[in-house]
Protein backbone atom coordinates (compact mmCIF):
# COMPACT_ATOMS: atom_id res chain seq x y z
CA UNK A 1 0.00 0.00 0.00
CA UNK A 2 1.48 3.30 -1.11
CA UNK A 3 1.22 5.94 1.61
CA UNK A 4 0.71 9.08 -0.49
CA UNK A 5 0.12 12.47 1.09
CA UNK A 6 -1.63 15.60 -0.11
CA UNK A 7 -1.60 18.53 2.33
CA UNK A 8 -5.12 19.90 2.55
CA UNK A 9 -3.88 23.46 2.88
CA UNK A 10 -2.76 23.24 -0.76
CA UNK A 11 -6.33 23.07 -2.03
CA UNK A 12 -8.59 24.86 0.39
CA UNK A 13 -11.89 26.07 -0.99
CA UNK A 14 -13.41 29.50 -0.64
CA UNK A 15 -15.87 29.03 2.22
CA UNK A 16 -14.66 29.70 5.77
CA UNK A 17 -16.81 28.92 8.79
CA UNK A 18 -16.61 31.13 11.88
CA UNK A 19 -16.11 29.57 15.31
CA UNK A 20 -19.66 30.31 16.63
CA UNK A 21 -21.21 28.55 13.65
CA UNK A 22 -18.90 25.55 14.08
CA UNK A 23 -19.92 25.42 17.72
CA UNK A 24 -23.60 25.56 16.75
CA UNK A 25 -23.06 22.74 14.28
CA UNK A 26 -21.32 20.73 16.98
CA UNK A 27 -24.36 21.09 19.24
CA UNK A 28 -26.16 18.74 16.88
CA UNK A 29 -23.58 16.07 17.67
CA UNK A 30 -24.23 16.58 21.36
CA UNK A 31 -28.01 16.68 20.94
CA UNK A 32 -28.73 13.01 20.29
CA UNK A 33 -26.03 11.64 22.60
CA UNK A 34 -28.19 11.10 25.67
CA UNK A 35 -30.84 9.01 23.97
CA UNK A 36 -28.51 7.44 21.39
CA UNK A 37 -25.96 6.31 23.99
CA UNK A 38 -28.74 5.07 26.23
CA UNK A 39 -30.06 3.02 23.29
CA UNK A 40 -26.70 1.57 22.27
CA UNK A 41 -25.15 0.95 25.68
CA UNK A 42 -27.94 0.57 28.23
CA UNK A 43 -31.14 -0.41 26.43
CA UNK A 44 -30.39 -4.13 26.22
CA UNK A 45 -29.35 -4.13 29.88
CA UNK A 46 -32.57 -2.29 30.76
CA UNK A 47 -34.62 -4.95 28.99
CA UNK A 48 -32.77 -8.00 30.31
CA UNK A 49 -31.91 -6.93 33.86
CA UNK A 50 -34.58 -4.36 34.77
CA UNK A 51 -37.63 -5.53 32.81
CA UNK A 52 -36.45 -9.19 32.81
CA UNK A 53 -37.28 -10.09 29.22
CA UNK A 54 -35.60 -12.76 27.11
CA UNK A 55 -32.32 -11.63 25.49
CA UNK A 56 -32.84 -13.71 22.33
CA UNK A 57 -36.31 -12.24 21.77
CA UNK A 58 -34.96 -8.71 22.18
CA UNK A 59 -32.11 -9.51 19.79
CA UNK A 60 -34.60 -10.63 17.16
CA UNK A 61 -36.60 -7.43 17.62
CA UNK A 62 -33.42 -5.37 17.27
CA UNK A 63 -32.56 -7.18 14.03
CA UNK A 64 -35.95 -6.74 12.39
CA UNK A 65 -36.29 -3.14 13.54
CA UNK A 66 -32.83 -2.15 12.33
CA UNK A 67 -33.48 -3.71 8.93
CA UNK A 68 -36.73 -1.76 8.58
CA UNK A 69 -34.95 1.40 9.67
CA UNK A 70 -32.26 0.86 7.05
CA UNK A 71 -34.83 1.00 4.27
CA UNK A 72 -36.62 4.03 5.68
CA UNK A 73 -33.22 5.80 5.65
CA UNK A 74 -33.28 5.63 1.86
CA UNK A 75 -36.68 7.31 1.79
CA UNK A 76 -35.43 10.06 4.10
CA UNK A 77 -32.43 10.66 1.83
CA UNK A 78 -34.63 10.96 -1.25
CA UNK A 79 -36.92 13.40 0.57
CA UNK A 80 -33.95 15.51 1.67
CA UNK A 81 -32.68 15.70 -1.92
CA UNK A 82 -36.14 16.68 -3.17
CA UNK A 83 -36.69 19.33 -0.50
CA UNK A 84 -36.55 23.06 -1.11
CA UNK A 85 -37.21 25.90 1.31
CA UNK A 86 -35.88 29.29 2.33
CA UNK A 87 -34.25 27.61 5.34
CA UNK A 88 -32.31 25.25 3.09
CA UNK A 89 -32.32 21.59 2.21
CA UNK A 90 -31.24 19.94 5.48
CA UNK A 91 -31.92 22.40 8.32
CA UNK A 92 -35.75 22.21 8.21
CA UNK A 93 -35.58 18.52 9.07
CA UNK A 94 -33.72 19.32 12.27
CA UNK A 95 -36.50 21.69 13.33
CA UNK A 96 -39.30 19.26 12.45
CA UNK A 97 -37.90 16.10 13.97
CA UNK A 98 -36.13 17.08 17.21
CA UNK A 99 -39.26 16.97 19.40
CA UNK A 100 -40.63 13.63 18.05
CA UNK A 101 -37.17 12.10 18.54
CA UNK A 102 -37.01 13.24 22.16
CA UNK A 103 -40.49 11.90 22.88
CA UNK A 104 -39.68 8.52 21.31
CA UNK A 105 -36.60 8.25 23.50
CA UNK A 106 -38.66 8.69 26.65
CA UNK A 107 -41.10 5.99 25.50
CA UNK A 108 -38.19 3.57 25.02
CA UNK A 109 -37.52 3.57 28.74
CA UNK A 110 -41.16 3.68 29.84
CA UNK A 111 -42.18 0.06 29.28
CA UNK A 112 -45.44 -0.51 31.20
CA UNK A 113 -46.48 -3.65 33.05
CA UNK A 114 -47.80 -5.85 30.27
CA UNK A 115 -48.00 -9.57 29.49
CA UNK A 116 -44.86 -10.88 27.79
CA UNK A 117 -46.29 -10.61 24.28
CA UNK A 118 -47.38 -7.04 25.02
CA UNK A 119 -43.88 -6.17 26.19
CA UNK A 120 -42.34 -7.44 22.96
CA UNK A 121 -44.85 -5.55 20.83
CA UNK A 122 -44.16 -2.37 22.81
CA UNK A 123 -40.38 -2.85 22.48
CA UNK A 124 -40.69 -3.34 18.73
CA UNK A 125 -42.88 -0.27 18.18
CA UNK A 126 -40.89 2.12 20.38
CA UNK A 127 -37.47 0.90 19.20
CA UNK A 128 -38.48 1.13 15.53
CA UNK A 129 -39.99 4.59 16.03
CA UNK A 130 -36.92 5.89 17.85
CA UNK A 131 -34.62 4.64 15.10
CA UNK A 132 -36.78 6.33 12.46
CA UNK A 133 -36.69 9.71 14.18
CA UNK A 134 -32.96 9.35 14.86
CA UNK A 135 -32.36 8.79 11.14
CA UNK A 136 -34.62 11.70 10.20
CA UNK A 137 -32.25 13.91 12.20
CA UNK A 138 -28.87 12.32 11.55
CA UNK A 139 -29.14 12.09 7.75
CA UNK A 140 -30.01 15.80 7.23
CA UNK A 141 -27.48 16.72 9.91
CA UNK A 142 -24.77 14.85 8.00
CA UNK A 143 -25.87 16.45 4.71
CA UNK A 144 -25.65 19.86 6.38
CA UNK A 145 -21.86 19.48 6.61
CA UNK A 146 -21.56 19.22 2.83
CA UNK A 147 -23.91 22.20 2.31
CA UNK A 148 -22.17 24.60 4.68
CA UNK A 149 -18.82 24.63 2.81
CA UNK A 150 -16.78 22.98 0.06
CA UNK A 151 -13.53 23.63 1.85
CA UNK A 152 -12.23 20.13 2.76
CA UNK A 153 -10.37 21.36 5.82
CA UNK A 154 -13.40 23.29 7.06
CA UNK A 155 -15.53 20.18 6.56
CA UNK A 156 -13.09 18.17 8.62
CA UNK A 157 -13.07 20.93 11.24
CA UNK A 158 -16.89 20.94 11.41
CA UNK A 159 -16.90 17.20 11.89
CA UNK A 160 -14.25 17.45 14.59
CA UNK A 161 -16.47 19.95 16.45
CA UNK A 162 -19.36 17.53 16.05
CA UNK A 163 -17.44 14.55 17.35
CA UNK A 164 -15.66 16.34 20.21
CA UNK A 165 -18.99 17.55 21.56
CA UNK A 166 -20.56 14.15 20.95
CA UNK A 167 -17.75 12.43 22.83
CA UNK A 168 -17.99 14.86 25.74
CA UNK A 169 -21.69 14.04 25.90
CA UNK A 170 -20.99 10.32 25.67
CA UNK A 171 -18.52 10.60 28.53
CA UNK A 172 -21.08 12.44 30.64
CA UNK A 173 -23.84 9.93 29.88
CA UNK A 174 -21.74 6.86 30.62
CA UNK A 175 -20.52 8.29 33.91
CA UNK A 176 -23.78 9.84 35.04
CA UNK A 177 -26.58 7.63 33.77
CA UNK A 178 -26.55 4.89 36.40
CA UNK A 179 -25.91 7.34 39.30
CA UNK A 180 -28.70 9.60 38.01
CA UNK A 181 -31.10 6.67 37.80
CA UNK A 182 -30.28 5.78 41.39
CA UNK A 183 -30.60 9.42 42.51
CA UNK A 184 -34.04 9.67 40.91
CA UNK A 185 -35.37 6.63 42.71
CA UNK A 186 -34.00 3.74 40.70
CA UNK A 187 -36.12 1.06 39.09
CA UNK A 188 -38.39 1.80 36.18
CA UNK A 189 -39.18 5.34 37.32
CA UNK A 190 -35.50 6.28 37.50
CA UNK A 191 -34.86 5.09 33.95
CA UNK A 192 -37.90 7.00 32.70
CA UNK A 193 -36.99 10.28 34.39
CA UNK A 194 -33.41 10.19 33.11
CA UNK A 195 -34.61 9.57 29.54
CA UNK A 196 -36.96 12.56 29.88
CA UNK A 197 -34.02 14.73 30.99
CA UNK A 198 -31.95 13.63 28.01
CA UNK A 199 -34.87 14.26 25.66
CA UNK A 200 -35.33 17.83 26.88
CA UNK A 201 -31.64 18.63 26.44
CA UNK A 202 -31.73 17.09 22.97
CA UNK A 203 -34.47 19.43 21.75
CA UNK A 204 -32.70 22.53 23.06
CA UNK A 205 -29.37 21.61 21.44
CA UNK A 206 -30.90 20.77 18.07
CA UNK A 207 -32.62 24.15 18.06
CA UNK A 208 -29.21 25.82 18.51
CA UNK A 209 -27.94 23.96 15.43
CA UNK A 210 -30.99 24.97 13.41
CA UNK A 211 -30.89 28.64 14.38
CA UNK A 212 -27.17 29.36 14.03
CA UNK A 213 -25.99 27.41 10.96
CA UNK A 214 -26.30 28.33 7.28
CA UNK A 215 -26.40 26.36 4.02
CA UNK A 216 -24.20 27.89 1.30
CA UNK A 217 -23.02 25.30 -1.20
CA UNK A 218 -26.29 24.69 -3.03
CA UNK A 219 -26.38 28.36 -4.05
CA UNK A 220 -22.79 28.36 -5.28
CA UNK A 221 -22.85 25.39 -7.69
CA UNK A 222 -24.91 25.45 -10.89
CA UNK A 223 -27.56 22.74 -10.92
CA UNK A 224 -27.50 20.71 -14.12
CA UNK A 225 -30.55 18.65 -13.18
CA UNK A 226 -33.24 19.55 -10.69
CA UNK A 227 -35.31 16.38 -10.44
CA UNK A 228 -34.32 12.87 -11.46
CA UNK A 229 -36.00 9.45 -11.31
CA UNK A 230 -35.22 7.39 -8.25
CA UNK A 231 -33.76 4.59 -10.40
CA UNK A 232 -31.40 7.07 -12.03
CA UNK A 233 -30.44 8.46 -8.63
CA UNK A 234 -29.35 5.02 -7.46
CA UNK A 235 -27.60 4.46 -10.78
CA UNK A 236 -25.32 7.41 -10.13
CA UNK A 237 -24.12 5.78 -6.94
CA UNK A 238 -22.48 3.09 -9.06
CA UNK A 239 -20.29 5.75 -10.66
CA UNK A 240 -19.06 6.92 -7.26
CA UNK A 241 -16.40 4.35 -6.36
CA UNK A 242 -15.12 6.32 -3.39
CA UNK A 243 -18.56 6.49 -1.84
CA UNK A 244 -18.81 2.71 -2.24
CA UNK A 245 -15.55 2.20 -0.35
CA UNK A 246 -16.83 4.32 2.54
CA UNK A 247 -20.11 2.43 2.36
CA UNK A 248 -18.32 -0.89 2.90
CA UNK A 249 -16.23 0.54 5.72
CA UNK A 250 -19.37 1.93 7.37
CA UNK A 251 -21.14 -1.44 7.29
CA UNK A 252 -18.14 -3.11 8.93
CA UNK A 253 -17.79 -0.37 11.54
CA UNK A 254 -21.43 -0.55 12.54
CA UNK A 255 -21.36 -4.30 12.90
CA UNK A 256 -18.71 -3.80 15.55
CA UNK A 257 -20.01 -0.57 17.17
CA UNK A 258 -23.22 -1.83 18.84
CA UNK A 259 -21.41 -4.96 19.97
CA UNK A 260 -18.54 -2.96 21.45
CA UNK A 261 -20.93 -0.56 23.14
CA UNK A 262 -23.38 -3.12 24.46
CA UNK A 263 -20.83 -5.73 25.53
CA UNK A 264 -18.81 -3.33 27.68
CA UNK A 265 -21.03 -3.56 30.74
CA UNK A 266 -21.00 -7.37 30.51
CA UNK A 267 -17.21 -7.39 30.03
CA UNK A 268 -16.58 -5.26 33.11
CA UNK A 269 -19.03 -7.29 35.18
CA UNK A 270 -18.08 -10.84 34.21
CA UNK A 271 -14.50 -10.67 32.85
CA UNK A 272 -12.94 -7.86 34.88
CA UNK A 273 -15.16 -8.59 37.86
CA UNK A 274 -16.52 -5.09 38.56
CA UNK A 275 -19.30 -3.45 36.54
CA UNK A 276 -18.43 0.02 37.90
CA UNK A 277 -15.23 -0.14 35.82
CA UNK A 278 -17.35 0.78 32.81
CA UNK A 279 -17.10 4.41 33.95
CA UNK A 280 -13.31 4.28 34.15
CA UNK A 281 -12.85 2.52 30.82
CA UNK A 282 -15.32 4.79 29.04
CA UNK A 283 -13.66 7.86 30.54
CA UNK A 284 -10.19 6.73 29.44
CA UNK A 285 -11.44 5.86 25.95
CA UNK A 286 -13.39 9.08 25.51
CA UNK A 287 -10.70 11.42 26.86
CA UNK A 288 -8.11 9.71 24.65
CA UNK A 289 -10.40 10.13 21.66
CA UNK A 290 -11.02 13.80 22.47
CA UNK A 291 -7.26 14.36 22.82
CA UNK A 292 -6.75 12.62 19.49
CA UNK A 293 -9.38 14.84 17.86
CA UNK A 294 -7.64 17.99 19.10
CA UNK A 295 -4.41 16.73 17.49
CA UNK A 296 -6.14 15.59 14.32
CA UNK A 297 -6.26 18.83 12.32
CA UNK A 298 -2.48 19.15 11.72
CA UNK A 299 -2.27 15.43 10.99
CA UNK A 300 -5.02 15.66 8.37
CA UNK A 301 -3.49 18.82 6.89
CA UNK A 302 -0.16 17.10 6.38
CA UNK A 303 -1.11 13.53 5.48
CA UNK A 304 -4.72 13.67 4.29
CA UNK A 305 -7.85 12.04 5.63
CA UNK A 306 -7.35 8.48 4.40
CA UNK A 307 -3.82 8.11 5.73
CA UNK A 308 -4.85 9.53 9.08
CA UNK A 309 -7.69 7.03 9.32
CA UNK A 310 -5.49 4.04 8.44
CA UNK A 311 -2.94 5.13 11.05
CA UNK A 312 -5.68 5.39 13.65
CA UNK A 313 -7.10 1.96 12.80
CA UNK A 314 -3.63 0.46 13.23
CA UNK A 315 -3.31 2.03 16.70
CA UNK A 316 -6.71 0.60 17.68
CA UNK A 317 -5.64 -2.85 16.52
CA UNK A 318 -2.53 -2.59 18.69
CA UNK A 319 -4.70 -1.83 21.73
CA UNK A 320 -6.86 -4.90 21.14
CA UNK A 321 -3.82 -7.15 20.72
CA UNK A 322 -2.41 -5.88 24.01
CA UNK A 323 -5.67 -6.72 25.81
CA UNK A 324 -5.64 -10.27 24.42
CA UNK A 325 -2.42 -10.95 26.37
CA UNK A 326 -4.57 -11.12 29.52
CA UNK A 327 -8.30 -10.38 29.07
CA UNK A 328 -8.80 -10.28 32.87
CA UNK A 329 -6.18 -7.59 33.48
CA UNK A 330 -7.58 -4.19 34.44
CA UNK A 331 -4.34 -2.30 33.57
CA UNK A 332 -4.33 -3.90 30.11
CA UNK A 333 -8.02 -3.06 29.71
CA UNK A 334 -7.20 0.58 30.50
CA UNK A 335 -4.33 0.49 27.98
CA UNK A 336 -6.59 -1.07 25.37
CA UNK A 337 -9.25 1.61 25.82
CA UNK A 338 -6.61 4.34 25.76
CA UNK A 339 -5.17 3.15 22.43
CA UNK A 340 -8.58 2.47 20.94
CA UNK A 341 -9.63 5.99 21.90
CA UNK A 342 -6.63 7.58 20.21
CA UNK A 343 -6.97 5.23 17.24
CA UNK A 344 -10.66 5.94 16.76
CA UNK A 345 -10.13 9.70 16.67
CA UNK A 346 -9.23 9.96 12.94
CA UNK A 347 -12.14 7.89 11.62
CA UNK A 348 -14.47 9.61 14.07
CA UNK A 349 -13.20 13.04 13.12
CA UNK A 350 -13.08 12.85 9.33
CA UNK A 351 -15.42 10.06 8.17
CA UNK A 352 -18.34 12.42 7.53
CA UNK A 353 -16.02 14.92 5.86
CA UNK A 354 -14.75 12.13 3.59
CA UNK A 355 -18.34 11.30 2.75
CA UNK A 356 -19.04 14.96 1.97
CA UNK A 357 -16.04 14.96 -0.40
CA UNK A 358 -17.58 12.08 -2.36
CA UNK A 359 -20.57 14.36 -3.08
CA UNK A 360 -18.34 16.59 -5.23
CA UNK A 361 -16.85 13.54 -6.93
CA UNK A 362 -20.35 12.23 -7.66
CA UNK A 363 -21.53 15.62 -8.93
CA UNK A 364 -18.56 15.82 -11.31
CA UNK A 365 -19.36 12.36 -12.64
CA UNK A 366 -23.14 12.71 -12.97
CA UNK A 367 -23.98 16.41 -12.89
CA UNK A 368 -26.54 15.72 -10.16
CA UNK A 369 -26.71 16.97 -6.58
CA UNK A 370 -27.44 13.83 -4.55
CA UNK A 371 -26.09 14.53 -1.08
CA UNK A 372 -29.24 13.14 0.51
CA UNK A 373 -29.03 9.74 -1.16
CA UNK A 374 -25.27 9.53 -0.53
CA UNK A 375 -25.70 10.11 3.18
CA UNK A 376 -28.88 8.03 3.47
CA UNK A 377 -27.38 5.05 1.65
CA UNK A 378 -24.37 5.28 3.94
CA UNK A 379 -26.79 5.32 6.85
CA UNK A 380 -28.50 2.33 5.23
CA UNK A 381 -25.18 0.48 5.30
CA UNK A 382 -24.65 1.48 8.90
CA UNK A 383 -28.10 0.23 9.84
CA UNK A 384 -27.52 -3.11 8.12
CA UNK A 385 -24.26 -3.43 10.02
CA UNK A 386 -25.92 -2.26 13.23
CA UNK A 387 -28.77 -4.74 12.70
CA UNK A 388 -26.25 -7.54 12.51
CA UNK A 389 -24.25 -6.20 15.45
CA UNK A 390 -27.23 -5.36 17.67
CA UNK A 391 -28.78 -8.78 17.18
CA UNK A 392 -25.47 -10.66 17.31
CA UNK A 393 -24.82 -9.51 20.87
CA UNK A 394 -27.96 -10.79 22.63
CA UNK A 395 -28.31 -13.81 20.34
CA UNK A 396 -24.70 -14.89 20.93
CA UNK A 397 -25.08 -14.40 24.66
CA UNK A 398 -28.28 -16.42 24.65
CA UNK A 399 -26.82 -19.23 22.53
CA UNK A 400 -23.82 -19.42 24.85
CA UNK A 401 -26.00 -19.83 27.91
CA UNK A 402 -26.19 -16.29 29.35
CA UNK A 403 -29.22 -15.63 31.53
CA UNK A 404 -29.97 -12.72 33.85
CA UNK A 405 -31.76 -15.17 36.16
CA UNK A 406 -28.53 -16.96 37.14
CA UNK A 407 -26.03 -15.62 39.67
CA UNK A 408 -23.05 -16.05 37.35
CA UNK A 409 -22.79 -16.80 33.61
CA UNK A 410 -21.43 -20.06 32.22
CA UNK A 411 -17.85 -20.39 31.01
CA UNK A 412 -19.08 -20.43 27.41
CA UNK A 413 -20.95 -17.15 27.98
CA UNK A 414 -17.83 -15.52 29.44
CA UNK A 415 -15.80 -16.75 26.46
CA UNK A 416 -18.39 -15.27 24.12
CA UNK A 417 -18.17 -11.93 25.94
CA UNK A 418 -14.39 -11.95 25.48
CA UNK A 419 -14.66 -12.87 21.80
CA UNK A 420 -17.23 -10.14 21.08
CA UNK A 421 -15.10 -7.61 22.96
CA UNK A 422 -11.76 -8.36 21.29
CA UNK A 423 -11.79 -10.65 18.24
CA UNK A 424 -14.73 -9.15 16.35
CA UNK A 425 -13.48 -5.52 16.37
CA UNK A 426 -10.00 -6.68 15.32
CA UNK A 427 -11.41 -8.50 12.27
CA UNK A 428 -13.42 -5.40 11.35
CA UNK A 429 -10.34 -3.15 11.58
CA UNK A 430 -8.31 -5.39 9.26
CA UNK A 431 -11.17 -5.31 6.72
CA UNK A 432 -11.45 -1.52 6.88
CA UNK A 433 -7.74 -1.01 6.31
CA UNK A 434 -7.88 -3.30 3.27
CA UNK A 435 -10.80 -1.33 1.78
CA UNK A 436 -9.45 2.16 2.48
CA UNK A 437 -6.04 1.33 1.00
CA UNK A 438 -7.73 1.84 -2.40
CA UNK A 439 -9.23 5.24 -1.50
CA UNK A 440 -7.43 7.95 -3.55
CA UNK A 441 -9.88 10.85 -3.39
CA UNK A 442 -7.55 12.94 -1.21
CA UNK A 443 -5.13 13.12 -4.13
CA UNK A 444 -7.83 13.79 -6.75
CA UNK A 445 -9.82 16.41 -4.83
CA UNK A 446 -7.79 19.47 -5.96
CA UNK A 447 -8.63 18.73 -9.59
CA UNK A 448 -12.30 18.20 -8.74
CA UNK A 449 -12.53 21.57 -6.98
CA UNK A 450 -10.84 23.30 -9.90
CA UNK A 451 -13.32 21.75 -12.33
CA UNK A 452 -16.28 22.83 -10.18
CA UNK A 453 -14.93 26.38 -9.97
CA UNK A 454 -14.64 26.52 -13.75
CA UNK A 455 -18.26 25.33 -14.04
CA UNK A 456 -19.34 28.00 -11.59
CA UNK A 457 -17.73 30.72 -13.69
CA UNK A 458 -19.05 29.35 -16.98
Amino acid sequence: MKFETTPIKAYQGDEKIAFPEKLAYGCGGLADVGIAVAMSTYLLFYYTDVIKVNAAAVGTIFLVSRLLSAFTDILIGLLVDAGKSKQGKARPWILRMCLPFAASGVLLFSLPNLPDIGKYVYIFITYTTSNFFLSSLNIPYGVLNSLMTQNPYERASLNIFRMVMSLIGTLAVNNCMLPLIKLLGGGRVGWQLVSALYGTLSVLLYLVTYCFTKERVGQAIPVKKIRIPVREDFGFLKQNKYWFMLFLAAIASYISAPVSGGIKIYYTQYVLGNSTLIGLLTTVNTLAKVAGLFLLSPLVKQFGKRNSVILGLSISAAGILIQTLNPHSIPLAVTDNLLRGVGNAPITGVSMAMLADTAEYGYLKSGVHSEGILFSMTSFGKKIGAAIGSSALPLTLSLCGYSAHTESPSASAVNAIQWLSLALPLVVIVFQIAVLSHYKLDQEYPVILDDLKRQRKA
Side-chain angles (χ1 to χ4, degrees), residues 167-184:
L167 288 170
I168 292 172
T170 300
L171 178 63
V173 170
N174 279 312
N175 280 279
C176 296
M177 184 152 186
L178 295 180
L180 274 175
I181 290 169
K182 184 177 180 180
L183 179 66
L184 295 174

Side-chain angles (χ1 to χ4, degrees), residues 123-167:
I123 290 170
F124 174 76
I125 292 173
T126 55
Y127 188 70
T128 302
T129 302
S130 292
N131 276 303
F132 172 78
F133 287 127
L134 182 60
S135 295
S136 68
L137 283 165
N138 279 344
I139 290 171
Y141 179 57
V143 170
L144 182 59
N145 181 301
S146 67
L147 298 178
M148 289 174 68
T149 178
Q150 281 185 290
N151 185 319
Y153 177 69
E154 291 294 299
R155 282 178 174 174
S157 180
L158 282 169
N159 202 56
I160 290 171
F161 268 78
R162 170 185 182 175
M163 298 316 303
V164 166
M165 296 180 72
S166 176
L167 288 170

Side-chain angles (χ1 to χ4, degrees), residues 28 31-32 35 73 76 80 90-102 104 130-144 162 202-203 206-207 209:
D32 68 6
I35 294 173
D73 284 0
I76 292 170
V80 170
R91 289 173 60 248
W93 283 81
I94 295 173
L95 179 63
R96 296 183 199 121
M97 296 299 177
C98 60
L99 185 57
F101 170 64
S104 70
S130 292
N131 276 303
F132 172 78
F133 287 127
L134 182 60
S135 295
S136 68
L137 283 165
N138 279 344
I139 290 171
Y141 179 57
V143 170
L144 182 59
R162 170 185 182 175
S202 172
V203 172
Y206 270 125
L207 289 176
T209 299

